[in-house]
Each structure stands twice: as C-alpha cells, then as structure tokens.
Amino acid sequence: MITFLLLLLLLLLPLFLYIAAPQIRKILSRGVCTSTVQLPGKVAVVTGANTGIGKETAKELAQRGARVYLACRDVLKGELVAKEIQTMTGNKQVLVRKLDLADTKSIRAFAKGFLAEEKHLHILINNAGVMMCPYTKTVDGFEMHMGVNHLGHFLLTHLLLEKLKESAPSRIVNVSSLAHHLGRIHFHDLQGEKFYNAGLAYCHSKLANILFTQELSRRLKGSGITAYSVHPGTVKSELVRHSPFMKWMWWLFSFFIKTPQQGAQTSLYCAITEGLEVLSGHHFRKPSSN
Ligand SMILES: NC(=O)c1ccc[n+]([C@@H]2O[C@H](COP(=O)([O-])OP(=O)(O)OC[C@H]3O[C@@H](n4cnc5c(N)ncnc54)[C@H](OP(=O)(O)O)[C@@H]3O)[C@@H](O)[C@H]2O)c1
C-alpha cells in the first residue's frame, strides 16, 4: 500500500509542479516595478539591448515615452528588435547604434557619435554581459569577462559622464549578479593568465560591477547623478550560451526561472523610481528598497 502511494505521489509530482509552476515563478520573481513614472523627453542608453533582459528593459523605457538607444554589437539584430519595440509601444524613437564592449575603439566611436547627436542622457543602463566564455581576450588584451562586463562599461560610463552631469538628475544602473559573492579582484592576475576558471571569471567581473557602482556613487555625490547595481534574478536568456551544462540546467528549471520581462524589473526600478537618490551606491536584488 505504501509503495503504491509513493508511486502515485511520484507520478503526480510532475503534474503538480507543471500546474503550480506559474505561481512558483511569480513567488520567485519577487515583484514588479510599480512606478507610474512616464519618460517623455528623457533619453536612455541600454547596452546589450538586442535580447534578454536588455531588450525588455529597453521596451519598458520606450513604453514610457523615452528616446531609447539600443547599444548593440550586432546592428542587424538590434534593428529587428528596434522595429519590434516600435510596433509594440508605438514609440518611434527607438534607435540602434553599434557598440562592441570588447573593443575600446568601438566604445569610443559609440560615445563620440552619441555625444554629437544627443543633447541629453538621463538613464544609462550598463546591461550587456557575457558568462562562462572559454578563455579569450578583448581586442585590447583584457580577459573577456572583465573586459566586456566591467572595463567596457567603465570606459563607456566615463565617456558619457559629462552628458549625464549636464542632464541631471540622471541615473546609472549597472547590471551585476548574485554571482558577485564568489568574486575576488586578483590584482596580481587581472587578466586570468596564471589561473582561469570561466565561472569564477564571470563572478569576478560582477563583483567589479558592484565596486564600480559604489565608488561612482561616492565620487558623484552632489553631481545629480546617482548609481545603482542590480541582481536581476535567475532569468531565462541567452547568457548561458557558452555552457552546455548551464543550458541544460536552465532548460530543466525553465518553469521556475524568471522571464526576461520579469528580469528587467529591478533595472527599471532603479532607473526610474522617484526618490531613490538617497540610496545611490546600493545593490538591489528586487524592485523594492527594503
Ligand atoms: N540571465 C540571468 O540569469 C542573469 C543573472 C544575473 C545577472 N545577469 C546579467 O544580466 C545582464 C543581461 O544578461 P542576459 O541574461 O539578458 O543575457 P543575454 O540574453 O545573453 O544578453 C546579453 C547581451 O549582452 C550583449 N553583449 C555580449 N557581449 C557584448 C559585447 N562585446 N559588446 C556589446 N554587447 C555585448 C549580447 O549581444 P549579442 O546578442 O550580440 O551576443 C546581448 O545583447 C548581464 O550583465 C548578466 O550578467 C543575468
């Protein structure tokens, strides 16, 4: 009898999980950005906006009326997404510009073009990222995770800082990760030439995002620019593309992990919520300040 009951339980468990999955995902997704702020006349840049969390963040900003620059390394992919966002939101001011964060020449060219064509920049979302790449270097010889996830955004932010100041109040959101807890900054081996582990390299770069945010916020005190770092949650996206194991895990748990739209909520919260200035430098794990 007990064996029968156990077997029945085992058979019913997947069915239960399937039915309960949307509810469980809702609980795990920890809320939405409830701000009603509209953004006409505001200008935003979102890096890595052609897919995943960046695409959804850009869509939400466009929905609220901002002029949104999709800063993408693949302009064709970006154009398709820009059209999709324009159609969905009715906002035609969704623009694509080339930005390869693995190449400082491309970052400088993006910034030069942007500064020449735009009078303002109110929201900069440093979202693009790579995870668990095999050992590679950027064009300038930086280890890929540190180069793209941190140094590329560091340079981009630096180049756009005056424009952000002139447009104050303005905000910078750095998309980090819970993985930063395993990160360390190995100053003696920043490029991972002595020791390299793809997973840890990601963690180190995500820690750098948080340290960068804290220092930015300290240096920018009183300037009208505030900075925040976020963990978007565990989100179904293309981030796992370099790891067959992570791809499998994402697939296995896909019912429970966040959609990119849910993953965009914390970035959005930090970018637009009124009254968040006093929390500049903080790290957010959900779209709420408590
Ligand atoms: N997904 C998660 O569970 C999770 C968890 C914690 C933190 N995050 C963070 O969330 C952010 C967004 O990730 P996602 O999950 O949306 O991943 P995704 O779907 O892989 O999107 C990453 C974006 O970054 C772009 N990118 C990669 N290398 C670039 C480069 N050299 N120059 C410019 N753009 C580049 C990609 O462009 P291409 O399409 O051209 O490659 C893509 O648009 C990342 O910073 C990630 O670390 C994600």
Side-chain angles (χ1 to χ4, degrees):
M1 182 65 176
I2 291 179
T3 322
F4 172 74
L5 281 176
L6 275 174
L7 268 174
L8 191 69
L9 195 71
L10 268 178
L11 282 173
L12 288 180
L13 189 66
L15 183 68
F16 167 76
L17 286 176
Y18 180 75
I19 294 168
Q23 214 48 39
I24 297 172
R25 189 165 56 209
K26 208 170 163 189
I27 293 164
L28 294 179
S29 70
R30 286 169 149 215
V32 292
C33 170
T34 52
S35 167
T36 53
V37 167
Q38 295 298 307
L39 304 166
K42 301 289 182 191
V43 181
V45 169
V46 184
T47 69
N50 58 282
T51 185
I53 298 166
K55 174 181 167 184
E56 294 302 322
T57 307
K59 194 190 290 175
E60 297 259 2
L61 293 171
Q63 186 77 58
R64 290 166 189 260
R67 177 153 62 249
V68 186
Y69 284 81
L70 314 184
C72 306
R73 65 174 161 181
D74 185 330
V75 173
L76 282 181
K77 274 194 206 169
E79 293 290 358
L80 286 175
V81 168
K83 287 225 168 64
E84 188 188 319
I85 296 179
Q86 286 172 3
T87 311
M88 284 186 79
T89 63
N91 181 347
K92 297 289 168 218
Q93 305 214 57
V94 181
L95 309 157
V96 182
R97 297 292 178 269
K98 166 103 181 154
L99 171 72
D100 183 354
L101 290 156
D103 180 355
T104 54
K105 275 205 191 87
S106 169
I107 300 169
R108 288 182 190 281
F110 170 86
K112 194 175 172 196
F114 179 83
L115 295 176
E117 74 177 310
E118 265 304 335
K119 282 200 179 71
H120 299 291
L121 174 58
H122 304 97
I123 299 171
L124 170 61
I125 303 206
N126 289 322
N127 162 83
V130 288
M131 183 174 85
M132 295 183 82
C133 317
Y135 189 79
T136 30
K137 284 187 169 175
T138 66
V139 173
D140 306 274
F142 303 127
E143 184 281 314
M144 192 58 78
H145 295 87
M146 197 52 93
V148 169
N149 298 355
H150 171 55
L151 294 171
H153 283 127
F154 176 95
L155 175 63
L156 178 69
T157 306
H158 172 74
L159 295 171
L160 299 178
L161 213 50
E162 275 311 308
K163 191 67 89 184
L164 283 158
K165 267 186 200 159
E166 289 161 20
S167 317
S170 51
R171 294 190 184 182
I172 300 166
V173 178
N174 293 319
V175 183
S176 176
S177 167
L178 191 68
H180 78 270
H181 284 296
L182 294 176
R184 299 284 177 275
I185 306 297
H186 297 297
F187 286 106
H188 63 285
D189 187 25
L190 271 181
Q191 310 315 329
E193 280 155 343
K194 294 183 185 139
F195 173 79
Y196 182 74
N197 172 285
L200 287 177
Y202 176 71
C203 299
H204 302 333
S205 70
K206 292 286 133 180
L207 173 61
N209 290 153
I210 291 185
L211 299 176
F212 174 45
T213 308
Q214 290 177 351
E215 184 60 15
L216 252 185
S217 128
R218 195 181 70 79
R219 291 190 188 206
L220 293 173
K221 216 170 195 151
S223 69
I225 311 176
T226 50
Y228 313 87
S229 62
V230 306
H231 166 59
T234 306
V235 180
K236 199 172 181 201
S237 72
E238 293 174 35
L239 192 67
V240 291
R241 65 185 96 177
H242 293 293
S243 165
F245 173 71
M246 293 296 280
K247 264 191 202 164
W248 181 77
M249 290 288 283
W250 252 231
W251 175 80
L252 194 65
F253 293 105
S254 59
F255 275 133
F256 307 113
I257 64 182
K258 288 185 186 183
T259 62
Q261 199 260 343
Q262 290 168 332
Q265 298 304 309
T266 310
S267 295
L268 196 66
Y269 175 81
C270 289
I272 65 170
T273 302
E274 284 162 328
L276 217 61
E277 287 75 10
V278 287
L279 294 177
S280 181
H282 279 229
H283 181 64
F284 288 78
R285 292 176 55 183
K286 54 184 175 171
S288 127
S289 54
N290 47 49

